[in-house]
PDB file of all heavy atoms in Angstrom:
ATOM      1  N   ASN G   1      49.016 216.048  14.000  1.00 87.00           N
ATOM      2  CA  ASN G   1      47.653 216.485  13.683  1.00 87.00           C
ATOM      3  C   ASN G   1      47.675 217.978  13.357  1.00 87.00           C
ATOM      4  O   ASN G   1      47.687 218.808  14.260  1.00 87.00           O
ATOM      5  CB  ASN G   1      46.726 216.217  14.873  1.00 87.00           C
ATOM      6  CG  ASN G   1      45.301 216.696  14.617  1.00 87.00           C
ATOM      7  OD1 ASN G   1      44.937 217.028  13.495  1.00 87.00           O
ATOM      8  ND2 ASN G   1      44.498 216.749  15.674  1.00 87.00           N
ATOM      9  N   PRO G   2      47.682 218.349  12.070  1.00 91.00           N
ATOM     10  CA  PRO G   2      47.747 219.764  11.686  1.00 91.00           C
ATOM     11  C   PRO G   2      46.610 220.610  12.249  1.00 91.00           C
ATOM     12  O   PRO G   2      46.737 221.833  12.335  1.00 91.00           O
ATOM     13  CB  PRO G   2      47.691 219.720  10.152  1.00 91.00           C
ATOM     14  CG  PRO G   2      48.133 218.342   9.799  1.00 91.00           C
ATOM     15  CD  PRO G   2      47.661 217.458  10.908  1.00 91.00           C
ATOM     16  N   GLU G   3      45.501 219.961  12.646  1.00 88.00           N
ATOM     17  CA  GLU G   3      44.362 220.702  13.185  1.00 88.00           C
ATOM     18  C   GLU G   3      44.219 220.522  14.694  1.00 88.00           C
ATOM     19  O   GLU G   3      43.124 220.691  15.252  1.00 88.00           O
ATOM     20  CB  GLU G   3      43.086 220.254  12.471  1.00 88.00           C
ATOM     21  CG  GLU G   3      43.104 220.523  10.967  1.00 88.00           C
ATOM     22  CD  GLU G   3      41.821 220.102  10.278  1.00 88.00           C
ATOM     23  OE1 GLU G   3      40.913 219.612  10.982  1.00 88.00           O
ATOM     24  OE2 GLU G   3      41.727 220.262   9.059  1.00 88.00           O
ATOM     25  N   HIS G   4      45.320 220.199  15.355  1.00 89.00           N
ATOM     26  CA  HIS G   4      45.271 219.999  16.806  1.00 89.00           C
ATOM     27  C   HIS G   4      44.743 221.267  17.481  1.00 89.00           C
ATOM     28  O   HIS G   4      45.238 222.368  17.216  1.00 89.00           O
ATOM     29  CB  HIS G   4      46.670 219.665  17.336  1.00 89.00           C
ATOM     30  CG  HIS G   4      46.662 219.069  18.706  1.00 89.00           C
ATOM     31  ND1 HIS G   4      46.237 219.768  19.822  1.00 89.00           N
ATOM     32  CD2 HIS G   4      47.014 217.844  19.160  1.00 89.00           C
ATOM     33  CE1 HIS G   4      46.336 219.004  20.891  1.00 89.00           C
ATOM     34  NE2 HIS G   4      46.797 217.832  20.518  1.00 89.00           N
ATOM     35  N   PRO G   5      43.723 221.144  18.347  1.00 88.00           N
ATOM     36  CA  PRO G   5      43.119 222.341  18.954  1.00 88.00           C
ATOM     37  C   PRO G   5      44.075 223.143  19.822  1.00 88.00           C
ATOM     38  O   PRO G   5      43.834 224.339  20.058  1.00 88.00           O
ATOM     39  CB  PRO G   5      41.952 221.772  19.779  1.00 88.00           C
ATOM     40  CG  PRO G   5      42.252 220.321  19.945  1.00 88.00           C
ATOM     41  CD  PRO G   5      43.018 219.912  18.738  1.00 88.00           C
ATOM     42  N   TRP G   6      45.150 222.532  20.327  1.00 91.00           N
ATOM     43  CA  TRP G   6      46.082 223.274  21.167  1.00 91.00           C
ATOM     44  C   TRP G   6      46.965 224.235  20.374  1.00 91.00           C
ATOM     45  O   TRP G   6      47.574 225.128  20.947  1.00 91.00           O
ATOM     46  CB  TRP G   6      46.970 222.312  21.953  1.00 91.00           C
ATOM     47  CG  TRP G   6      46.237 221.543  23.009  1.00 91.00           C
ATOM     48  CD1 TRP G   6      44.907 221.627  23.325  1.00 91.00           C
ATOM     49  CD2 TRP G   6      46.789 220.572  23.886  1.00 91.00           C
ATOM     50  NE1 TRP G   6      44.597 220.763  24.335  1.00 91.00           N
ATOM     51  CE2 TRP G   6      45.734 220.097  24.706  1.00 91.00           C
ATOM     52  CE3 TRP G   6      48.061 220.045  24.069  1.00 91.00           C
ATOM     53  CZ2 TRP G   6      45.923 219.137  25.689  1.00 91.00           C
ATOM     54  CZ3 TRP G   6      48.261 219.077  25.050  1.00 91.00           C
ATOM     55  CH2 TRP G   6      47.205 218.635  25.846  1.00 91.00           C
ATOM     56  N   LEU G   7      47.053 224.030  19.061  1.00 92.00           N
ATOM     57  CA  LEU G   7      47.953 224.857  18.262  1.00 92.00           C
ATOM     58  C   LEU G   7      47.528 226.322  18.253  1.00 92.00           C
ATOM     59  O   LEU G   7      48.362 227.220  18.068  1.00 92.00           O
ATOM     60  CB  LEU G   7      48.018 224.326  16.824  1.00 92.00           C
ATOM     61  CG  LEU G   7      48.633 222.927  16.657  1.00 92.00           C
ATOM     62  CD1 LEU G   7      48.531 222.473  15.201  1.00 92.00           C
ATOM     63  CD2 LEU G   7      50.088 222.922  17.116  1.00 92.00           C
ATOM     64  N   ALA G   8      46.252 226.592  18.443  1.00 90.00           N
ATOM     65  CA  ALA G   8      45.754 227.969  18.427  1.00 90.00           C
ATOM     66  C   ALA G   8      45.841 228.635  19.796  1.00 90.00           C
ATOM     67  O   ALA G   8      45.538 229.818  19.927  1.00 90.00           O
ATOM     68  CB  ALA G   8      44.303 227.984  17.932  1.00 90.00           C
ATOM     69  N   LEU G   9      46.284 227.903  20.809  1.00 92.00           N
ATOM     70  CA  LEU G   9      46.333 228.438  22.169  1.00 92.00           C
ATOM     71  C   LEU G   9      47.670 229.101  22.454  1.00 92.00           C
ATOM     72  O   LEU G   9      48.700 228.748  21.873  1.00 92.00           O
ATOM     73  CB  LEU G   9      46.102 227.321  23.186  1.00 92.00           C
ATOM     74  CG  LEU G   9      44.798 226.528  23.079  1.00 92.00           C
ATOM     75  CD1 LEU G   9      44.777 225.422  24.120  1.00 92.00           C
ATOM     76  CD2 LEU G   9      43.591 227.442  23.253  1.00 92.00           C
ATOM     77  N   GLY G  10      47.664 230.039  23.399  1.00 95.00           N
ATOM     78  CA  GLY G  10      48.912 230.587  23.901  1.00 95.00           C
ATOM     79  C   GLY G  10      49.630 229.571  24.760  1.00 95.00           C
ATOM     80  O   GLY G  10      49.054 228.538  25.140  1.00 95.00           O
ATOM     81  N   ASP G  11      50.885 229.858  25.103  1.00 96.00           N
ATOM     82  CA  ASP G  11      51.685 228.883  25.858  1.00 96.00           C
ATOM     83  C   ASP G  11      51.041 228.540  27.200  1.00 96.00           C
ATOM     84  O   ASP G  11      50.934 227.365  27.571  1.00 96.00           O
ATOM     85  CB  ASP G  11      53.101 229.436  26.079  1.00 96.00           C
ATOM     86  CG  ASP G  11      53.855 229.617  24.771  1.00 96.00           C
ATOM     87  OD1 ASP G  11      53.423 229.033  23.764  1.00 96.00           O
ATOM     88  OD2 ASP G  11      54.871 230.341  24.769  1.00 96.00           O
ATOM     89  N   GLN G  12      50.609 229.558  27.934  1.00 95.00           N
ATOM     90  CA  GLN G  12      50.030 229.293  29.249  1.00 95.00           C
ATOM     91  C   GLN G  12      48.663 228.619  29.125  1.00 95.00           C
ATOM     92  O   GLN G  12      48.311 227.770  29.960  1.00 95.00           O
ATOM     93  CB  GLN G  12      49.914 230.609  30.030  1.00 95.00           C
ATOM     94  CG  GLN G  12      51.282 231.234  30.340  1.00 95.00           C
ATOM     95  CD  GLN G  12      51.174 232.472  31.185  1.00 95.00           C
ATOM     96  OE1 GLN G  12      50.568 232.460  32.252  1.00 95.00           O
ATOM     97  NE2 GLN G  12      51.766 233.568  30.713  1.00 95.00           N
ATOM     98  N   GLN G  13      47.920 228.971  28.092  1.00 93.00           N
ATOM     99  CA  GLN G  13      46.639 228.290  27.866  1.00 93.00           C
ATOM    100  C   GLN G  13      46.858 226.805  27.563  1.00 93.00           C
ATOM    101  O   GLN G  13      46.111 225.946  28.027  1.00 93.00           O
ATOM    102  CB  GLN G  13      45.897 228.952  26.704  1.00 93.00           C
ATOM    103  CG  GLN G  13      45.365 230.343  26.987  1.00 93.00           C
ATOM    104  CD  GLN G  13      44.727 230.949  25.749  1.00 93.00           C
ATOM    105  OE1 GLN G  13      45.347 231.001  24.683  1.00 93.00           O
ATOM    106  NE2 GLN G  13      43.490 231.406  25.880  1.00 93.00           N
ATOM    107  N   MET G  14      47.902 226.515  26.768  1.00 94.00           N
ATOM    108  CA  MET G  14      48.208 225.125  26.446  1.00 94.00           C
ATOM    109  C   MET G  14      48.525 224.333  27.710  1.00 94.00           C
ATOM    110  O   MET G  14      48.047 223.201  27.889  1.00 94.00           O
ATOM    111  CB  MET G  14      49.396 225.047  25.479  1.00 94.00           C
ATOM    112  CG  MET G  14      49.772 223.619  25.086  1.00 94.00           C
ATOM    113  SD  MET G  14      51.358 223.502  24.239  1.00 94.00           S
ATOM    114  CE  MET G  14      51.010 224.428  22.750  1.00 94.00           C
ATOM    115  N   LEU G  15      49.318 224.914  28.589  1.00 94.00           N
ATOM    116  CA  LEU G  15      49.672 224.215  29.825  1.00 94.00           C
ATOM    117  C   LEU G  15      48.439 223.936  30.674  1.00 94.00           C
ATOM    118  O   LEU G  15      48.314 222.869  31.280  1.00 94.00           O
ATOM    119  CB  LEU G  15      50.686 225.055  30.618  1.00 94.00           C
ATOM    120  CG  LEU G  15      52.057 225.241  29.953  1.00 94.00           C
ATOM    121  CD1 LEU G  15      52.909 226.213  30.764  1.00 94.00           C
ATOM    122  CD2 LEU G  15      52.776 223.912  29.800  1.00 94.00           C
ATOM    123  N   ALA G  16      47.518 224.906  30.694  1.00 91.00           N
ATOM    124  CA  ALA G  16      46.288 224.703  31.467  1.00 91.00           C
ATOM    125  C   ALA G  16      45.435 223.596  30.850  1.00 91.00           C
ATOM    126  O   ALA G  16      44.902 222.733  31.557  1.00 91.00           O
ATOM    127  CB  ALA G  16      45.507 226.011  31.542  1.00 91.00           C
ATOM    128  N   LYS G  17      45.300 223.592  29.509  1.00 88.00           N
ATOM    129  CA  LYS G  17      44.520 222.559  28.839  1.00 88.00           C
ATOM    130  C   LYS G  17      45.123 221.169  29.048  1.00 88.00           C
ATOM    131  O   LYS G  17      44.409 220.165  29.103  1.00 88.00           O
ATOM    132  CB  LYS G  17      44.439 222.848  27.332  1.00 88.00           C
ATOM    133  CG  LYS G  17      43.485 223.969  26.963  1.00 88.00           C
ATOM    134  CD  LYS G  17      42.034 223.570  27.193  1.00 88.00           C
ATOM    135  CE  LYS G  17      41.084 224.655  26.679  1.00 88.00           C
ATOM    136  NZ  LYS G  17      39.666 224.317  26.967  1.00 88.00           N
ATOM    137  N   ALA G  18      46.450 221.120  29.144  1.00 89.00           N
ATOM    138  CA  ALA G  18      47.133 219.840  29.330  1.00 89.00           C
ATOM    139  C   ALA G  18      47.092 219.360  30.777  1.00 89.00           C
ATOM    140  O   ALA G  18      47.617 218.292  31.091  1.00 89.00           O
ATOM    141  CB  ALA G  18      48.579 219.965  28.866  1.00 89.00           C
ATOM    142  N   GLY G  19      46.484 220.146  31.665  1.00 87.00           N
ATOM    143  CA  GLY G  19      46.403 219.757  33.063  1.00 87.00           C
ATOM    144  C   GLY G  19      47.695 219.999  33.831  1.00 87.00           C
ATOM    145  O   GLY G  19      47.881 219.450  34.924  1.00 87.00           O
ATOM    146  N   LEU G  20      48.572 220.849  33.289  1.00 93.00           N
ATOM    147  CA  LEU G  20      49.855 221.136  33.942  1.00 93.00           C
ATOM    148  C   LEU G  20      49.780 222.360  34.843  1.00 93.00           C
ATOM    149  O   LEU G  20      50.731 222.662  35.566  1.00 93.00           O
ATOM    150  CB  LEU G  20      50.944 221.325  32.880  1.00 93.00           C
ATOM    151  CG  LEU G  20      51.104 220.147  31.907  1.00 93.00           C
ATOM    152  CD1 LEU G  20      52.179 220.452  30.869  1.00 93.00           C
ATOM    153  CD2 LEU G  20      51.424 218.866  32.646  1.00 93.00           C
ATOM    154  N   PHE G  21      48.672 223.078  34.779  1.00 92.00           N
ATOM    155  CA  PHE G  21      48.375 224.175  35.710  1.00 92.00           C
ATOM    156  C   PHE G  21      46.989 223.886  36.264  1.00 92.00           C
ATOM    157  O   PHE G  21      46.039 223.663  35.510  1.00 92.00           O
ATOM    158  CB  PHE G  21      48.382 225.534  34.990  1.00 92.00           C
ATOM    159  CG  PHE G  21      48.124 226.706  35.908  1.00 92.00           C
ATOM    160  CD1 PHE G  21      49.177 227.367  36.508  1.00 92.00           C
ATOM    161  CD2 PHE G  21      46.825 227.117  36.180  1.00 92.00           C
ATOM    162  CE1 PHE G  21      48.939 228.444  37.364  1.00 92.00           C
ATOM    163  CE2 PHE G  21      46.584 228.186  37.043  1.00 92.00           C
ATOM    164  CZ  PHE G  21      47.650 228.854  37.633  1.00 92.00           C
ATOM    165  N   LYS G  22      46.860 223.865  37.576  1.00 85.00           N
ATOM    166  CA  LYS G  22      45.563 223.470  38.126  1.00 85.00           C
ATOM    167  C   LYS G  22      45.301 224.154  39.457  1.00 85.00           C
ATOM    168  O   LYS G  22      46.182 224.808  40.038  1.00 85.00           O
ATOM    169  CB  LYS G  22      45.500 221.951  38.299  1.00 85.00           C
ATOM    170  CG  LYS G  22      46.385 221.397  39.394  1.00 85.00           C
ATOM    171  CD  LYS G  22      46.173 219.889  39.550  1.00 85.00           C
ATOM    172  CE  LYS G  22      46.883 219.352  40.773  1.00 85.00           C
ATOM    173  NZ  LYS G  22      46.644 217.905  40.964  1.00 85.00           N
ATOM    174  N   ARG G  23      44.074 223.964  39.926  1.00 81.00           N
ATOM    175  CA  ARG G  23      43.656 224.495  41.222  1.00 81.00           C
ATOM    176  C   ARG G  23      43.425 223.343  42.176  1.00 81.00           C
ATOM    177  O   ARG G  23      42.843 222.323  41.811  1.00 81.00           O
ATOM    178  CB  ARG G  23      42.364 225.295  41.077  1.00 81.00           C
ATOM    179  CG  ARG G  23      41.824 225.815  42.417  1.00 81.00           C
ATOM    180  CD  ARG G  23      40.437 226.411  42.287  1.00 81.00           C
ATOM    181  NE  ARG G  23      40.443 227.490  41.312  1.00 81.00           N
ATOM    182  CZ  ARG G  23      39.568 227.568  40.309  1.00 81.00           C
ATOM    183  NH1 ARG G  23      38.657 226.623  40.143  1.00 81.00           N
ATOM    184  NH2 ARG G  23      39.614 228.580  39.469  1.00 81.00           N
ATOM    185  N   ASP G  24      43.887 223.490  43.415  1.00 76.00           N
ATOM    186  CA  ASP G  24      43.605 222.527  44.476  1.00 76.00           C
ATOM    187  C   ASP G  24      42.242 222.875  45.048  1.00 76.00           C
ATOM    188  O   ASP G  24      42.074 223.930  45.675  1.00 76.00           O
ATOM    189  CB  ASP G  24      44.690 222.602  45.560  1.00 76.00           C
ATOM    190  CG  ASP G  24      44.537 221.509  46.600  1.00 76.00           C
ATOM    191  OD1 ASP G  24      43.387 221.214  46.995  1.00 76.00           O
ATOM    192  OD2 ASP G  24      45.563 220.951  47.042  1.00 76.00           O
ATOM    193  N   TYR G  25      41.250 221.998  44.819  1.00 67.00           N
ATOM    194  CA  TYR G  25      39.886 222.319  45.210  1.00 67.00           C
ATOM    195  C   TYR G  25      39.676 222.244  46.725  1.00 67.00           C
ATOM    196  O   TYR G  25      38.636 222.691  47.226  1.00 67.00           O
ATOM    197  CB  TYR G  25      38.904 221.390  44.486  1.00 67.00           C
ATOM    198  CG  TYR G  25      38.751 221.720  43.025  1.00 67.00           C
ATOM    199  CD1 TYR G  25      39.479 221.050  42.050  1.00 67.00           C
ATOM    200  CD2 TYR G  25      37.897 222.733  42.623  1.00 67.00           C
ATOM    201  CE1 TYR G  25      39.349 221.373  40.705  1.00 67.00           C
ATOM    202  CE2 TYR G  25      37.762 223.063  41.276  1.00 67.00           C
ATOM    203  CZ  TYR G  25      38.484 222.381  40.319  1.00 67.00           C
ATOM    204  OH  TYR G  25      38.356 222.714  38.997  1.00 67.00           O
ATOM    205  N   GLN G  26      40.625 221.726  47.456  1.00 69.00           N
ATOM    206  CA  GLN G  26      40.507 221.706  48.908  1.00 69.00           C
ATOM    207  C   GLN G  26      41.059 222.979  49.529  1.00 69.00           C
ATOM    208  O   GLN G  26      40.495 223.524  50.473  1.00 69.00           O
ATOM    209  CB  GLN G  26      41.241 220.493  49.483  1.00 69.00           C
ATOM    210  CG  GLN G  26      40.488 219.189  49.296  1.00 69.00           C
ATOM    211  CD  GLN G  26      41.130 218.055  50.068  1.00 69.00           C
ATOM    212  OE1 GLN G  26      42.352 217.967  50.157  1.00 69.00           O
ATOM    213  NE2 GLN G  26      40.310 217.179  50.615  1.00 69.00           N
TER     214      GLN G  26
END
């Protein structure tokens, strides 16, 4: 997908969007 929204993100932003960096709400 040439217009994939993650392509404009930085590396760490991409990881956060992908759910690979998260917060434990407890």
Side-chain angles (χ1 to χ4, degrees):
N1 178 12
E3 299 181 1
H4 196 295
W6 291 0
L7 295 175
L9 302 177
D11 296 343
Q12 295 184 54
Q13 290 176 307
M14 180 192 296
L15 294 174
K17 285 291 186 183
L20 304 178
F21 182 91
K22 70 176 189 178
R23 177 189 303 129
D24 187 320
Y25 287 96
Q26 284 189 322

